[in-house]
Amino acid sequence: IPTWRDFDNAESTDGTTTACGESSEPYSSDVEGAPEPNSALTRSAQTIAALVRTEKGHVKLLDQNNETRRVVRDAIIDAKGYIIFVDAYPELVDKNQVALQSLLTVAANRGVHAIKERLRTDAQYAAHLASLVEPRIPLLRRDLKVSACTNIDTYFRLSNNVVKAKKLMEQHAYIYALKFDLNDDASPIGKKPYQGDLLIFLIYEAVFSGAKSIGIKFVERFAKLANNKGNRPECPIPLLALVATAVYAALFWKTLGSPGKFNFTGNQFSETYVFHVKFLEDLKRDAPGKFHCMMADIYEAVQTLKRKGNDHFVNEHRDALGLLDLDGMADD
C-alpha cells in the first residue's frame, strides 16, 4: 500500500503544534502591569480563552485547558461533517476558514462565550486554534484512499492486472455495480450507478464502522436528506463523490504498477471529485425520483453491511463463550 506524500498526510491534533505568526506579543490579560480584572467572572473567562505555549512559542492541544481541548476536538468532528455533507475538498474554498467556522459553531453551541468572542476578535488566537483543527480535515480522504488501495484487488478481481484496472477507469465504470464472467472480467450494470460493492464497503468503513463513528454522530443529518417516497435517509453527494474519487485514485495507482510510494496530487484528483459531484447533481436535476431512490438505496446498503458486521462480532463472542467452562474454573 502506498505511502501518501501530500497534504493528506496530516498528523493527530493531540501532538499538533502551531506557532502562527510567531508573535511574542502576549494576550492582553498576560501583559505585565495590566490592570487586574474587576471580577472573578472576568478572570474565569480570560482563563478559559487563554493559550498555553511552549518555550518556543508553539501551541499544543494537550497543553490547553479542558474547555479549549473540548472545543477543538468537537470542531474536528464538525469539520468532518463539513466534508461529508458540504464539500470534501475544502481547499477549493479555504480549509482554514472551514476550521475557524467549526470552532465558532462549537464554541457557540457549547456556550463557551469567552472562546467564541476571542475567536471573533483576536486573529492570532483564531489562527492558533484553527491550526489545531485544520490538519485533521483531510484525514478522511487519506484513509479512504488507503482503504481503497488495500481492497481494490479483492473487490474488482484484478489479480494485479493493469489492463483490467485501466478498463474500469474507462467511462468511470468503477462506480457501477459489476457482474463478472468466468474469466473475472467485469461489466458494469448500467441501472445501478454508485452501488458497487467496494463503494458501499468504503462508505461503511470510513463513516459508519464503530459505535463512535462519524456517521453515528451525524445520523440525524442523513435523515434530513430524505426526499423519497419511503422517507428513507440518503447518502449525501459530497461523501459519495469522495468515495468514488478514492476508488479512481486506487485504480490509477494500480495502473502505475502499485508503487510503494505514490505522490498523490490533490489538484489532479480534486478534478475527479468535481466530475462526480456534477454527475450526481445532473442526475438529481434530470431524474430526481430515481436519484433520491438511489441515494436511499446506497445508505440502506451501508446499514445492511453495518448490521452484518455487528452480527459477526456477536457470533464471534458467542463462539468464544462456547469454549468457556465456567463451572470448572477455580473460585476465590
Side-chain angles (χ1 to χ4, degrees):
I1 301 307
T3 301
W4 304 99
R5 297 189 299 172
D6 66 331
F7 54 78
D8 283 11
N9 275 327
E11 300 175 354
S12 168
T13 56
D14 288 349
T16 296
T17 62
T18 174
C20 296
E22 293 293 340
S23 172
S24 60
E25 181 180 354
Y27 183 44
S28 59
S29 63
D30 299 324
V31 177
E32 184 177 357
E36 287 295 321
N38 294 327
S39 69
L41 184 62
T42 302
R43 285 195 299 272
S44 175
Q46 290 177 335
T47 299
I48 290 174
L51 287 177
V52 178
R53 303 182 187 222
T54 65
E55 291 182 358
K56 294 183 178 180
H58 296 290
V59 175
K60 292 185 176 181
L61 178 59
L62 294 181
D63 289 343
Q64 308 311 310
N65 61 62
N66 289 335
E67 203 59 66
T68 299
R69 291 204 300 267
R70 292 190 191 100
V71 168
V72 170
R73 285 171 173 156
D74 285 356
I76 291 169
I77 295 172
D78 186 82
K80 288 181 178 180
Y82 182 94
I83 284 180
I84 291 174
F85 294 100
V86 181
D87 182 9
Y89 274 84
E91 287 80 9
L92 302 179
V93 185
D94 189 340
K95 192 167 58 174
N96 183 266
Q97 286 302 308
V98 172
L100 179 57
Q101 187 57 53
S102 290
L103 285 164
L104 285 166
T105 298
V106 169
N109 290 343
R110 292 185 64 89
V112 190
H113 301 297
I115 290 179
K116 176 187 172 183
E117 288 308 308
R118 193 171 177 193
L119 283 167
R120 290 163 58 94
T121 60
D122 187 334
Q124 188 183 55
Y125 174 84
H128 276 301
L129 287 195
S131 293
L132 295 175
V133 175
E134 186 179 327
R136 294 302 294 266
I137 293 178
L139 288 183
L140 180 61
R141 295 204 309 260
R142 183 202 64 184
D143 293 344
L144 276 169
K145 292 194 296 288
V146 171
S147 183
C149 287
T150 302
N151 293 282
I152 198 166
D153 275 328
T154 301
Y155 278 87
F156 288 153
R157 306 183 190 181
L158 296 179
S159 299
N160 293 316
N161 190 317
V162 173
V163 175
K164 286 185 177 182
K166 288 181 178 179
K167 187 176 180 180
L168 284 168
M169 295 175 73
E170 295 175 1
Q171 297 181 289
H172 297 277
Y174 58 89
I175 69 171
Y176 292 88
L178 301 171
K179 56 183 177 182
F180 295 88
D181 62 20
L182 295 177
N183 296 318
D184 284 340
D185 290 326
S187 299
I189 302 173
K191 64 181 181 180
K192 299 192 73 175
Y194 294 97
Q195 295 174 74
D197 289 342
L198 180 56
L199 274 71
I200 300 299
F201 169 77
L202 291 175
I203 294 173
Y204 158 71
E205 185 174 68
V207 180
F208 288 97
S209 180
K212 296 182 179 180
S213 66
I214 193 70
I216 300 300
K217 294 181 183 297
F218 287 103
V219 64
E220 292 182 0
R221 291 283 297 274
F222 289 96
K224 287 181 180 178
L225 293 174
N227 192 10
N228 51 79
K229 291 181 179 179
N231 202 34
R232 296 179 295 158
E234 297 182 18
C235 181
I237 286 178
L239 174 59
L240 190 55
L242 175 60
V243 170
T245 302
V247 175
Y248 180 90
L251 284 168
F252 183 75
W253 170 67
K254 294 298 292 186
T255 65
L256 298 178
S258 308
K261 291 184 178 180
F262 184 39
N263 287 322
F264 180 81
T265 53
N267 288 337
Q268 180 182 0
F269 292 106
S270 68
E271 292 175 2
T272 304
Y273 169 78
V274 170
F275 164 81
H276 285 296
V277 169
K278 186 177 186 306
F279 188 95
L280 289 163
E281 291 286 3
D282 288 348
L283 184 60
K284 181 180 180 180
R285 180 195 65 220
D286 298 336
K290 294 181 184 296
F291 168 82
H292 289 292
C293 181
M294 178 190 76
M295 298 303 252
D297 286 346
I298 291 170
Y299 182 89
E300 188 172 312
V302 172
Q303 298 309 307
T304 298
L305 187 59
K306 184 176 185 295
R307 286 192 295 272
K308 287 181 179 178
N310 291 339
D311 290 345
H312 168 74
F313 287 120
V314 170
N315 292 335
E316 186 178 23
H317 181 70
R318 187 185 301 116
D319 291 343
L321 286 176
L323 296 174
L324 179 64
D325 181 7
L326 193 62
D327 293 333
M329 292 177 62
D331 204 344
D332 189 1

